[in-house]
Amino acid sequence: MAFELPDLPYAHDALASKGMSAETLEYHHDLHHNAYVTNGNAAIKGTEWEGKSLEEIIKGTYDPKAVAQNGIFNNISQLWNHNQFWEMMGPGESKMPGELEKALTDSFGSVDEFKKQFSAAGAGQFGSGWAWLVKDSDSSLKVTKTENGVNPLCFNQTALLGCDVWEHSYYIDFRNKRPAYLENFLEKLVNWENVASRM
């Protein structure tokens, strides 16, 4: 079975009042995300990875020693990353569940300190990539950043929250102001119930 582009969990204009326009979602989901689906399916066709899960392909094709990852990894990992990204945001008011607030406070000292570290990771990622809140293999929470399409699965971590800092994610709405995009993401867009459900 070939991978398919999942529908957005909300309308294209559902996040517009929160700083992510319908135009951004049309480009980001309908074009960019769809390209990863199309190119990923083409890349694995006729290989040992055809018929495997996204997670199996990502873990099996990631090369920690490589400066640049291979085409199968790049497309399949970005397909997975974006599948998560849309679910990690939402149009409604999202209150952070108590267990997540406690876990963040225990790990970072406060929710504000977590947000500060997360924003710094995203703003400090040179070029394209992602900022993440992860649960590590020892169950501790950490803020990380990855280049291009690399994600927490490569390091046996659980992705709780990820923010795409490729320019196509924010340039229509924020131009080159990546820190403002990250602040808006954390304050207005995150579906904290979804984040908590991943713990």
Side-chain angles (χ1 to χ4, degrees):
M1 286 290 291
F3 296 115
E4 296 181 354
L5 178 70
D7 291 334
L8 285 170
Y10 31 75
H12 284 82
D13 62 356
L15 306 179
S17 65
K18 295 186 164 197
M20 187 171 283
S21 64
E23 185 180 8
T24 288
L25 286 173
E26 286 161 2
Y27 274 95
H28 199 170
H29 173 268
D30 300 1
L31 297 180
H32 283 280
H33 192 178
N34 193 46
Y36 297 129
V37 176
T38 301
N39 294 335
N41 282 326
I44 64 173
K45 187 168 185 175
T47 72
E48 63 185 293
W49 303 110
E50 192 171 14
K52 303 284 189 183
S53 69
L54 293 176
E55 292 79 5
E56 287 173 319
I57 299 171
I58 290 166
K59 292 179 180 181
T61 59
Y62 174 67
D63 182 356
K65 297 176 184 174
V67 174
Q69 298 297 318
N70 61 78
I72 290 178
F73 175 86
N74 286 335
N75 284 285
I76 296 299
S77 66
Q78 281 286 71
L79 198 172
W80 185 90
N81 290 351
H82 286 81
N83 286 355
Q84 313 309 311
F85 186 53
W86 310 127
E87 298 287 345
M88 292 168 172
M89 297 185 288
E93 289 302 315
S94 179
K95 182 172 171 54
M96 185 179 291
E99 68 270 21
L100 176 59
E101 184 175 358
K102 181 180 186 305
L104 291 173
T105 301
D106 290 346
S107 297
F108 300 98
S110 68
V111 172
D112 285 343
E113 179 60 24
F114 151 69
K115 291 180 177 179
K116 180 179 175 182
Q117 290 186 29
F118 188 93
S119 293
Q125 172 56 40
F126 181 74
S128 301
W130 292 75
W132 303 97
L133 170 66
V134 303
K135 183 169 75 172
D136 215 340
S137 52
D138 63 359
S139 293
S140 64
L141 301 190
K142 295 178 181 174
V143 166
T144 65
K145 60 183 179 180
T146 58
E147 73 279 359
N148 300 319
V150 177
N151 64 47
L153 293 176
C154 303
F155 313 105
N156 295 313
Q157 297 167 328
T158 301
L160 303 182
L161 178 65
C163 186
D164 187 348
V165 296
W166 288 58
E167 285 189 342
H168 62 244
S169 186
Y170 60 88
Y171 218 85
I172 290 171
D173 300 314
F174 291 91
R175 295 299 185 256
N176 64 341
K177 298 179 177 67
R178 189 190 286 185
Y181 159 72
L182 285 156
E183 180 183 0
N184 185 76
F185 175 78
L186 289 169
E187 297 304 321
K188 296 182 179 179
L189 290 169
V190 175
N191 179 343
W192 295 110
E193 291 87 353
N194 180 273
V195 177
S197 73
R198 298 167 179 267
M199 294 179 63

